[in-house]
């Protein structure tokens, strides 16, 4: 999750484009993306899920991280999580392919989820890559893509060249799997990212109004329009499907201006300002509160040392799986699933 402030976007208006994105778009003759016939069936299912499904980012409630030590999730807890989510969500984005997440594809398939984007937290971990690849092969009607890392470029844990080499290798090994990386939106505007954009089958962007200098005093409509404008900017430089993986606001602490009402309001306006299509949509971030995140620096790349209480409260459901206002406002999905 990004914490970088982009001052030049502070004067956002409904029709404005940021200078950074405009420059990037002007410098590109055509929007870039990978064109790979072998991946087209999965991309077709991804586009259908964007247009007609409802995505949520998911980490198991039983997964915890403390001082870098990971407690893995168990299958029973994952099934309980996904059973709670399934009436309102039919599409998932995960962050990890191991530490219990190996169980997610089978359980999601049994519960009739329509789409799964598997996150690979550490794409240098061959065991995690194997687990993700196994899921691609075993669940071809469910898995619509792989996300390699989470904010690796932003946190300087990798570089475009290294990611590009990995993507080329995986394109050869898993030609049927659409591939992406997940970064704060401004990372994609960099000139050094242009070659990488041409290798990605789809785009996962984190777009957090919360980290803009105008956020605290802005109304929720401004925040929602900001996200919509960023998606327009990204579409000018990338020709594949675009999913906003992270956006929204936490529900606490109240002293920082966060509440269930504000979270629900922003999502309500996002549904209005960024209606889902086969080319773009947003995921609800995140499924469940995670109390451990307030104390774990790895949960928020780029965050300064210390406790960050807001990190514990991004869920649309609390840590006991009870729905918050934003979740309660979502009508149950129909069959076939209705748009978000």
């Amino acid at each position: 999750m990004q914490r970088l402030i982009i001052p030049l976007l502070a004067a956002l208006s409904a029709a404005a484009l940021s200078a950074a994105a405009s420059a990037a778009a002007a410098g590109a003759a055509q929007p870039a993306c990978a064109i790979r016939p072998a991946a087209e069936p999965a991309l077709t299912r991804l586009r259908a899920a964007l247009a007609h499904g409802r995505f949520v980012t998911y980490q198991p409630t039983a997964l915890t991280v403390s001082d870098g030590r990971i407690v893995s999730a168990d299958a029973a807890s994952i099934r309980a999580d996904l059973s709670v989510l399934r009436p309102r969500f039919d599409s998932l984005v995960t962050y990890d392919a191991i530490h219990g997440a190996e169980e997610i594809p089978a359980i999601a398939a049994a519960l009739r989820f329509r789409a799964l984007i598997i996150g690979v937290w550490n794409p240098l971990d061959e065991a995690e890559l194997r687990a993700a690849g196994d899921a691609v092969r075993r669940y071809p009607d469910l898995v619509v893509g792989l996300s390699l890392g989470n904010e690796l470029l932003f946190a300087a844990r990798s570089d475009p060249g290294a990611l590009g080499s990995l993507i080329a290798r995986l394109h050869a090994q898993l030609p049927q799997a659409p591939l992406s990386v997940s970064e704060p939106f401004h990372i994609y505007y960099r000139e050094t990212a242009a070659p990488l954009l041409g290798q990605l089958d789809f785009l996962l962007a984190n777009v957090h109004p919360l980290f803009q200098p105008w956020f605290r005093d802005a109304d929720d409509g401004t925040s929602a329009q900001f996200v919509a404008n960023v998606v327009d900017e990204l579409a000018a430089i990338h020709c594949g499907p675009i999913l906003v993986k992270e956006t929204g606001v936490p529900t606490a602490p109240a002293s920082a201006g966060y509440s269930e009402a504000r979270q629900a309001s922003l999502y309500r306006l996002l549904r209005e300002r960024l209606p889902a299509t086969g080319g773009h949509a947003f995921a609800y971030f995140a499924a469940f509160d995670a109390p451990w995140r307030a104390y774990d620096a790895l949960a928020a790349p780029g965050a300064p040392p210390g406790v960050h209480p807001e990190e514990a409260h991004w869920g649309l459901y609390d840590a006991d799986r009870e729905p918050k206002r934003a979740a309660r406002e979502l009508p149950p999905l129909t069959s076939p699933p209705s748009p978000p």
Side-chain angles (χ1 to χ4, degrees), residues 220-221 260-270 325-326 329:
D220 295 331
E260 287 194 29
R262 189 165 193 184
Q263 183 190 61
S265 172
L266 180 53
Y267 280 125
R268 201 179 308 125
L269 287 161
L270 273 172
R325 180 170 172 177
E329 288 187 1

Side-chain angles (χ1 to χ4, degrees), residues 270-318:
L270 273 172
R271 291 191 290 271
E272 174 187 311
R273 305 289 178 88
L274 188 62
T277 72
H280 64 249
F282 68 87
Y284 290 82
F285 172 76
F288 299 102
D289 283 349
W292 61 267
R293 288 176 58 93
Y295 304 96
D296 188 78
L298 293 177
V307 177
H308 298 279
E310 70 282 357
E311 293 294 333
H313 300 286
W314 284 95
L316 274 76
Y317 296 76
D318 66 21

Side-chain angles (χ1 to χ4, degrees), residues 1 11 14-15 39 53 107 110 125 163 169 172 180 200 205 215 222 229 232 234 245 285 287 304:
M1 171 186 318
I107 295 169
D125 184 336
L163 281 176
R169 175 164 72 93
S180 189
L200 301 179
F215 172 77
T222 298
N229 286 357
D232 285 343
L234 292 173
K245 189 181 88 172
F285 172 76

Side-chain angles (χ1 to χ4, degrees), residues 8 19 41 56-57 77 84 108 113 132 137 153 202 212 215 242 266:
L8 57 82
V56 65
T57 64
S77 178
V84 166
F113 278 82
R137 298 182 187 96
L153 299 179
F202 66 105
Q212 302 307 311
F215 172 77
I242 298 169
L266 180 53

Side-chain angles (χ1 to χ4, degrees), residues 36-94:
R36 299 190 305 117
E40 193 54 40
L43 281 172
T44 297
R45 290 185 287 106
L46 173 58
R47 292 186 186 98
L50 294 177
H52 303 298
R54 193 181 287 152
F55 276 90
V56 65
T57 64
Y58 170 63
Q59 281 187 312
T61 55
L63 175 77
T64 62
V65 182
S66 178
D67 296 326
R69 295 189 298 274
I70 300 172
V71 175
S72 296
D74 60 280
S77 178
I78 290 171
R79 180 174 292 276
D81 290 343
L82 296 187
S83 296
V84 166
L85 293 177
R86 185 60 186 88
R88 294 183 175 98
F89 301 97
D90 64 0
S91 303
L92 302 168
V93 186
T94 66

Side-chain angles (χ1 to χ4, degrees), residues 35 45 75 77 83 93 96 98 101 116 124-125 187 193 203 226 236 253 309:
I35 305 297
R45 290 185 287 106
S77 178
S83 296
V93 186
D96 193 1
I98 52 177
L116 170 62
L124 299 180
D125 184 336
I187 297 295
L203 204 60
F226 168 76

Side-chain angles (χ1 to χ4, degrees), residues 101-223:
E102 306 95 323
E103 305 287 348
I104 292 174
I107 295 169
L111 293 174
R112 300 176 65 86
F113 278 82
R114 71 182 296 163
L116 170 62
I117 297 173
I118 297 177
V120 178
W121 182 262
N122 180 7
L124 299 180
D125 184 336
E126 292 297 327
E128 189 170 4
L129 285 175
R130 282 196 301 272
D134 287 346
V136 168
R137 298 182 187 96
R138 292 180 63 193
Y139 299 96
D141 294 330
L142 174 67
V143 180
V144 295
L146 300 183
S147 173
L148 303 175
N150 185 65
E151 302 190 340
L152 294 179
L153 299 179
F154 177 61
R157 289 184 286 133
S158 189
D159 59 74
L163 281 176
S165 296
L166 174 63
I167 288 167
R169 175 164 72 93
L170 292 178
H171 277 165
Q173 294 177 347
L174 295 168
Q176 73 274 41
L179 302 180
S180 189
V181 299
S182 176
E183 294 290 338
F185 68 95
H186 66 276
I187 297 295
Y188 300 117
Y189 300 158
R190 294 176 178 174
E191 184 176 350
T192 55
L196 185 62
L197 288 172
Q199 293 180 275
L200 301 179
D201 299 287
F202 66 105
L203 204 60
L204 288 173
N206 296 342
V207 188
H208 284 293
L210 181 151
F211 299 128
Q212 302 307 311
W214 42 261
F215 172 77
R216 189 178 180 100
D217 297 321
D219 60 35
D220 295 331
T222 298
S223 294

